[in-house]
């Protein structure tokens, strides 16, 4: 059984006069020990899917259907009390703006100790210090950080603390939502290397939300490409990035610089995301696709398997 299995997930944002379909019939399986990257432009539905898994979407302004099976339990039907038992211990997350995740008026040690005691009632000071020290060692931070406030730390150090917090109870699944986007490239590379080491050492399952193909190439075994709320291609990273089947995946890769092989001019993808408040009968990428045929505008393509675990949703086949 997969650790996380998303089946026919639809998520709609409810507004006064319209509804926006942010996730459209998304189905995705994540095996235990996987490191999967979810890539796509801003507005593709990546974070919405992650927030749905974490139970963080506002109930009064969203409508969700489908199934999200995590360790056999359907998260779509789970109450807030049920999620409270899962978060930190089984499900954990690191977000893009880590400064917003930490209290500016409390030292790092206070925040780490409080989280630990909520889920470990009766833990004494020595147990808390041992826990915090071990976590800082995992993310390559000195013990002196415990006595500092967030504003006294660099962006990279704050992000490391957020990663340490999410590892506190050895969760089965960690979701990193643009967790390194705000960092400089050197710090980003260091943190990604540390995450890879931690994942390999502990067997943690990782879902990484990003728009950076380089992050996926260097840190993820599998990749899922999203566009306008739909999954358009999934598979092993090495296969998808070297032989992309879907025109959108090809467009993303063509817009990213390469440091090996023959130099090629970068090509952007013309146009913009479609209006997701209206019905799109065919392929959501058809209006931006250079290969689109009449069928693409009228029929929704189905995910077709090319090899075990490698699928894409395109009527035209490989080019």
């Amino acid at each position: 059984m997969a650790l996380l299995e998303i089946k026919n997930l639809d998520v709609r944002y409810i507004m006064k006069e319209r509804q926006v379909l942010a996730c459209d019939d998304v189905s995705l399986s994540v095996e235990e020990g996987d490191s999967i990257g979810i890539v796509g432009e801003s507005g593709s539905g990546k974070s919405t899917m992650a927030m749905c898994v974490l139970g963080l979407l506002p109930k009064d302004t969203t409508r969700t259907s489908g199934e999200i099976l995590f360790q056999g339990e359907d998260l779509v039907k789970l109450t807030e009390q049920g999620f409270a038992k899962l978060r930190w211990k089984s499900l954990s997350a690191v977000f893009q703006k880590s400064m917003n995740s930490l209290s500016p008026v409390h030292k790092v040690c206070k925040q780490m100790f409080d989280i630990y005691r909520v889920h470990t009632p009766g833990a004494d000071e020595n147990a808390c210090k041992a826990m915090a020290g071990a976590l800082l060692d995992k993310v390559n931070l000195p013990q002196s950080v415990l006595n500092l406030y967030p504003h006294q730390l660099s962006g990279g150090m704050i992000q490391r603390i957020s990663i340490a917090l999410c590892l506190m109870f050895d969760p089965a699944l960690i979701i990193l939502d643009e967790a390194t986007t705000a960092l400089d490239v050197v710090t980003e590379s260091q943190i990604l290397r540390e995450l890879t080491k931690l994942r390999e050492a502990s067997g943690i399952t990782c879902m990484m939300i990003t728009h950076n193909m380089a992050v996926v190439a260097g840190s993820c075994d599998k990749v899922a490409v999203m566009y306008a709320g739909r999954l358009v291609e999934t598979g092993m990273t090495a296969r998808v990035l070297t032989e992309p089947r879907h025109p959108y995946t090809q467009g993303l890769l063509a817009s990213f610089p390469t440091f090996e092989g023959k130099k090629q001019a970068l090509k952007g993808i013309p146009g913009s995301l479609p209006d997701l408040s209206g019905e799109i009968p065919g392929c959501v990428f058809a209006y931006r696709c250079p290969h689109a045929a009449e069928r693409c505008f009228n029929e929704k393509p189905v995910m077709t398997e090319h090899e075990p675990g490698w699928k894409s949703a395109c009527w035209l086949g490989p080019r």
Side-chain angles (χ1 to χ4, degrees), residues 79-312:
T79 63
E80 179 56 34
Q81 290 75 18
F83 270 111
K85 295 177 181 178
L86 288 179
R87 293 190 194 116
W88 296 103
K89 284 202 167 185
S90 298
L91 277 172
S92 200
V94 180
F95 299 103
Q96 180 176 350
K97 297 180 180 179
S98 289
M99 181 64 82
N100 296 343
S101 302
L102 301 176
S103 167
V105 297
H106 294 101
K107 291 183 177 180
V108 171
C109 61
K110 165 72 172 169
Q111 302 185 56
M112 295 184 81
F113 292 1
D114 284 352
I115 294 170
Y116 188 64
R117 283 169 173 152
V118 166
H119 295 277
T120 313
D124 59 20
E125 193 77 4
N126 290 332
C128 290
K129 288 181 179 179
M131 171 277 302
L135 287 177
L136 291 183
D137 286 341
K138 281 186 177 182
V139 294
N140 206 15
L141 283 175
Q143 303 296 308
S144 58
V145 166
L146 289 172
N147 292 313
L148 299 178
Y149 291 93
H151 71 269
Q152 296 175 295
L153 305 172
S154 69
M157 295 173 80
I158 291 173
Q159 200 68 306
R160 282 183 169 90
I161 290 170
S162 294
I163 293 169
L165 289 172
C166 86
L167 294 171
M168 186 176 291
F169 297 102
D170 295 321
L173 175 64
I174 293 177
I175 296 176
L176 299 109
D177 190 0
E178 302 282 8
T180 60
T181 300
L183 304 176
D184 62 85
V185 291
V186 175
T187 304
E188 179 182 52
S189 178
Q190 291 172 346
I191 288 178
L192 289 173
R193 282 198 300 270
E194 288 164 8
L195 277 170
T196 300
K197 290 178 182 178
L198 288 169
R199 186 178 64 81
E200 292 174 349
S202 59
I204 291 173
T205 305
C206 227
M207 179 184 285
M208 188 172 293
I209 313 294
T210 182
H211 60 266
N212 190 336
M213 299 297 275
V215 169
V216 174
S219 305
C220 300
D221 303 322
K222 298 179 180 179
V223 61
V225 183
M226 288 191 73
Y227 179 77
R230 296 182 189 174
L231 273 179
V232 297
E233 188 162 4
T234 63
M236 299 301 295
T237 301
R239 296 293 279 147
V240 173
L241 298 192
T242 55
E243 299 180 48
R245 294 296 186 99
H246 197 280
Y248 180 61
T249 311
Q250 294 169 0
L252 288 178
L253 291 170
S255 65
F256 189 81
T258 179
F259 298 100
E260 297 180 354
K262 185 180 178 181
K263 292 183 179 179
Q264 295 181 347
L266 298 182
K267 299 178 182 179
I269 302 175
S272 56
L273 288 164
D275 182 1
L276 297 181
S277 64
E279 183 68 25
I280 303 176
C283 174
V284 287
F285 189 60
Y287 290 93
R288 301 176 71 184
C289 180
H291 312 289
E294 183 178 353
R295 185 182 188 185
C296 302
F297 294 94
N298 300 314
E299 296 180 51
K300 180 179 177 180
V302 295
M303 291 291 277
T304 302
E305 189 168 58
H306 311 293
E307 294 177 5
W310 183 13
K311 302 177 181 179
S312 67

